[in-house]
Each structure stands twice: as structure tokens, then as C-alpha cells.
Amino acid sequence: MKTAIINARIFDGKQSIGVKTVLIDGETIVSIGGEVPDDAVIRDAEGGMLLPGLIDAHVHTSVEGLRDALKFGVTTELEMMGGFTKAGREKQLSGMEDIADVFSAGMGVTASGGHPDELMPGDGEIPEFVLKELANMSEEDRNAMLAAHAHDHEELPELTNANEARSFVAEQVRQGADYIKIMIEEGSVLAAPGLPVLSEEILRAAVEEAHNQGKLVLAHVLTADSSREAIEIGVDGLAHLFIDRPASTPELVDQIAGSGAFVTPCLVLNSSIIGNTASEMADDPRVKEKLSEEWIDTLKSSFNTYPQGSMEDNFRNVMDLHRAGVDILVGTDVSVPVPTLGGLAHGVSVHHEMQLLVEAGFTPVEALQSATAKTARRFNLNDRGRIAEGVRADLVLVDGDPTTKISDTLSIREVWIRGKSVYGSEVQG
Ligand SMILES: [Zn+2]
């Protein structure tokens, strides 16, 4: 089936290219600015702007999370630890169409009892929202889901030396991990000081093995000190922005820029850690109507574990990196609807993150690049993140002009994933 989207202004992932017809055939964009074939279904997008499907470069997700993401035009979620490796996707997601696409790091390289254990409720206890989801599943799906959510200490082997770290990474790759995540978190800004962290030697071995296997390595780091360590051991990207701003920040910025690593700041998370809620987002009618009560409550709360931090420092940190030429990617660290992990929701927080980047000093176009083409390029996802011939037809049609007013990204008229319209108006023409 062919669909021609006509009369929309196009943002192609890098820039606005004016009003052009985008022709979809099956799952793929086949032409831009060409003729409309007789057999195409016509979608008149007058007054709207067409964007590539948005990408969230830092999530921990579920079927519910992937479904919510898609409602907000987020057509790809990149899981930074979780169950949706290739094996997990085959078990849990095959045949599902109303969900965002997902890639995953599998299990993270972390110390026994280290991050993110401190965020989990109880010991091996399954959170209530998971139980609710489990009740509606087949036995097979239930078992897969339980495996994915198993946070038992037995699940993560203790890594006591470099060789064990290497075989752990190799095992993640065997399970179909798309990239590797390492944790350097001593807990000071998460109200859990003294968390165990793996030694530099063990982490270095994990990074080497991942690179030998052709995989990118991302680091969980929330402070300037741990960011420096991650860069020194050779990671490809920082999955967070350091929340503090010591006097040595200019040297750290130079070091990150010199290494070529990208940074996914997750300003929405840092804002929550500092104690800010996302209540304004939750009250926006364009958000409210699409979310469950649990997620609305989650947006209206916050981590609040580092109230001494400031968004001004975070804005300065991210702008220093941006001006130094570091690729900044849009990510959120959204996970589950629990108030202590508040200020975040799937899909919504991508829009919020773009707004915070603009508040920090990005142009709206730069913020959009960071949620589309730039992320696709850094994760080698060559089939998405752009509106171009031959790529997946993952598209979002919005009212207004987000290249001048970033909050217009929330005025979603229609979303396509792999050429299929999954949200929006009825077929015309
Ligand atoms: Zn995370």
C-alpha cells in the first residue's frame, strides 16, 4: 500500500526542507518531493510539520512503556539495561504492532549490590504495576516477563576479576545485546552513598571485550569524577550528564570532546533528582489524555535525592559540551511508574527533554536533531532518524512549527511506524 503525505512542511532530521510530498510504500519512504501515484492513499497534512519518528536514547522499558512511547511519536526506545535484547524481543514482542521499536544493552556491568539495586523496591519483590501487567498475559509471556524483571542477586553474577567481566560481556552479546552498559555509581547523588563500584581494571576489561565484539559502550555516570573515569577507560558515550559542576569542569569538557564520546544528558532526570516535578507536562491536555493515572502521578513527583544541585549548573554543563562539539542526544532514563522514580514518563519525557535543551540554549532545530538524526547516527541505526529515501517510514505529523516553537512537538496529529498509521485521524482521499 502507498500513502502520500502532502502539503506538510518537512523537518528531515537535520533541517527544514520546505513543503514536500512524502511517499510511503509499505514500510519505507520511497520518495520526497516526487509525483503522487494514482494508487496512493492521500493524507493532506496542510498546516502541519512532518518529523522523523523521535528516538529516546535512554530508557528501561516494558510493553506498556513502548506503547505509551509510540502515542507520543517516539518510534524507537534505546534501553540502557533491561530485557529487550534480540532474545527478549523475540520472546516478548513478536507480532505486536502498536509499540515503539526497541534495542537494549541487556544486563549492565555492575558490582554485586551496586547500582541500580538501590532503586528497586525490596529484595526480589515484584512491583505492583508489573503484577497487573502479568495478570493479562499468557503463561509463556508471563515467564518471559518475569525473567526480564528478575532483579534477584542470583541473576547478576559477581564480577571479581577482568576475565569474569569479559565473559559477562560476551554473554550479553550472545543474548543479543545491541550495546553494552557499565555502571560507575557510588550513590552520592542518589541518596545511597557508599554503593559498591567495580574496579577500574574490571571495567576496562568489560569495555575492551565489548569493543572486540564490535559493540558500543555506554556508561552510567552522574558526577564529574565518574564521568572522567568513564572517558579514561574508553567508553563511547555517557548515558547521563554530570549533575555537579566542580572547578575542573572545563578540563572535563575538553577531555570528553577530545575522546569523541557523545553525551545523553537526561536533563529531565537531573531535574527530578534536584527535586523538580514534571507537573506542568502532566497538566498539559496534550499529555493528560494519553496517560494512565499512575503515570500522571509519577510525572507529578520527583527523585529529590540531591536538592543541593541546580538546573543552572546542568544547563551550563550541557551548553559547554555542546559548544565544544560533543554530540548531545535526547534521552530520559524513564522506567516504571513509581513516584520515587518520578518526573518521568515514556514518550512525554522526550518532549520535555527537548524543551529543557532549548531552555539551556539549544535552538529548537538542534533539539530536534538530538532526538532524531544525531542519535540514529551515533547508534549506527542507519534505517531511521531521518526523512529520506529508503529509510523506515517512522514519522510524526504535528500541528504548528517545532523548528521555531519546540513545545509544538506535543501537538501530535498522526504517528506512523514502519509505514503503518498507529495514531491519528481517519484515512482520507
Ligand atoms: Zn538508566
Side-chain angles (χ1 to χ4, degrees):
M1 185 183 118
K2 292 181 189 140
T3 305
I5 304 168
I6 62 167
N7 294 327
R9 279 159 298 140
I10 312 293
F11 171 79
D12 70 357
K14 287 186 180 138
Q15 58 191 332
S16 285
I17 55 167
V19 174
K20 292 204 160 63
T21 295
V22 170
L23 183 66
I24 303 170
D25 190 356
E27 300 183 348
T28 310
I29 296 170
V30 291
S31 79
I32 294 148
E35 295 298 306
V36 177
D38 291 340
D39 58 345
V41 173
I42 292 175
R43 196 70 111 246
D44 189 348
E46 179 73 47
M49 180 170 260
L50 194 64
L51 313 170
L54 304 171
I55 304 172
D56 188 335
H58 189 152
V59 305
H60 308 275
T61 197
S62 63
V63 171
E64 184 209 19
L66 293 168
R67 194 169 284 136
D68 278 354
L70 195 55
K71 289 180 191 164
F72 289 93
V74 175
T75 50
T76 304
E77 286 198 328
L78 303 179
E79 198 174 53
M80 288 297 138
M81 174 150 174
F84 291 115
T85 58
K86 187 160 183 288
R89 295 193 288 274
E90 280 163 8
K91 263 188 216 153
Q92 297 184 66
L93 305 179
S94 59
M96 290 191 193
E97 286 192 328
D98 60 338
I99 56 170
D101 203 15
V102 59
F103 296 89
S104 184
M107 299 316 275
V109 179
T110 190
S112 179
H115 181 75
D117 257 24
E118 81 286 1
L119 301 177
M120 304 300 168
D123 231 347
E125 187 183 308
I126 297 168
E128 198 186 330
F129 75 95
V130 180
L131 290 174
K132 265 194 226 163
E133 204 167 333
L134 287 170
N136 304 317
M137 288 182 165
S138 71
E139 196 187 328
E140 196 186 339
D141 285 353
R142 194 160 32 232
N143 289 338
M145 179 93 176
L146 280 170
H149 276 274
H151 296 298
D152 300 349
H153 291 243
E154 290 80 21
E155 279 290 314
L156 282 178
E158 203 173 335
L159 305 176
T160 58
N161 61 48
N163 278 337
E164 284 171 7
R166 283 195 194 95
S167 33
F168 179 78
V169 167
E171 179 55 25
Q172 298 312 304
V173 175
R174 255 195 300 280
Q175 296 284 326
D178 300 285
Y179 33 77
I180 296 297
K181 174 91 176 284
I182 67 167
M183 309 291 183
I184 312 179
E185 176 57 66
E186 37 59 59
S188 59
V189 305
L190 292 175
L195 278 181
V197 181
L198 290 171
S199 72
E200 200 172 305
E201 186 205 349
I202 293 178
L203 290 170
R204 211 179 269 278
V207 173
E208 265 175 31
E209 179 63 25
H211 285 163
N212 287 343
Q213 303 256 0
K215 299 295 178 194
L216 290 179
V217 184
L218 286 294
H220 164 101
V221 281
L222 275 168
T223 62
D225 273 346
S226 52
S227 301
R228 183 175 309 107
E229 183 180 348
I231 294 298
E232 276 164 9
I233 63 175
V235 303
D236 305 286
L238 303 182
H240 294 279
L241 175 67
F242 45 97
I243 199 167
D244 51 344
R245 188 175 167 86
S248 58
T249 299
E251 289 98 89
L252 175 59
V253 167
D254 284 349
Q255 200 180 1
I256 296 171
S259 77
F262 60 83
V263 174
T264 309
C266 305
L267 291 170
V268 285
L269 173 74
N270 288 13
S271 176
S272 172
I273 288 175
I274 289 167
N276 301 313
T277 71
S279 295
E280 244 174 78
M281 299 297 291
D283 290 334
D284 189 317
R286 298 169 297 179
V287 170
K288 210 192 240 168
E289 63 176 25
K290 295 180 191 168
L291 285 187
S292 70
E293 210 172 304
E294 280 171 306
W295 278 110
I296 291 288
D297 289 348
T298 302
L299 273 177
K300 291 188 170 186
S301 63
S302 71
F303 275 65
N304 197 24
T305 53
Y306 188 64
Q308 61 271 49
S310 84
M311 280 316 279
E312 197 186 302
D313 281 350
N314 279 276
F315 289 160
R316 287 160 76 194
N317 289 344
V318 77
M319 286 311 290
D320 286 353
L321 290 165
H322 183 51
R323 290 197 192 100
V326 174
D327 282 334
I328 302 294
L329 312 185
V330 163
T332 63
D333 204 11
V334 61
S335 57
V336 293
V338 175
T340 52
L341 305 177
L344 308 169
H346 286 270
V348 182
S349 294
V350 167
H351 299 266
H352 191 195
E353 181 74 8
M354 289 191 286
Q355 293 176 20
L356 290 178
L357 285 171
V358 169
E359 205 179 324
F362 275 52
T363 65
V365 164
E366 289 170 336
L368 289 166
Q369 291 167 343
S370 290
T372 56
K374 203 170 266 190
T375 307
R377 174 168 57 77
R378 292 307 305 245
F379 279 85
N380 304 315
L381 302 171
N382 302 317
D383 62 347
R384 68 193 73 200
R386 294 171 294 138
I387 296 181
E389 280 176 25
V391 306
R392 284 164 58 110
D394 293 350
L395 299 163
V396 194
L397 178 64
V398 301
D399 287 320
D401 181 3
T403 64
T404 55
K405 186 182 172 203
I406 195 65
S407 59
D408 280 353
T409 57
L410 277 168
S411 302
I412 294 173
R413 225 193 273 176
E414 187 156 1
V415 178
W416 290 261
I417 185 161
R418 276 197 187 154
K420 186 171 176 273
S421 173
V422 285
Y423 178 81
S425 47
E426 289 304 302
V427 176
Q428 317 158 7

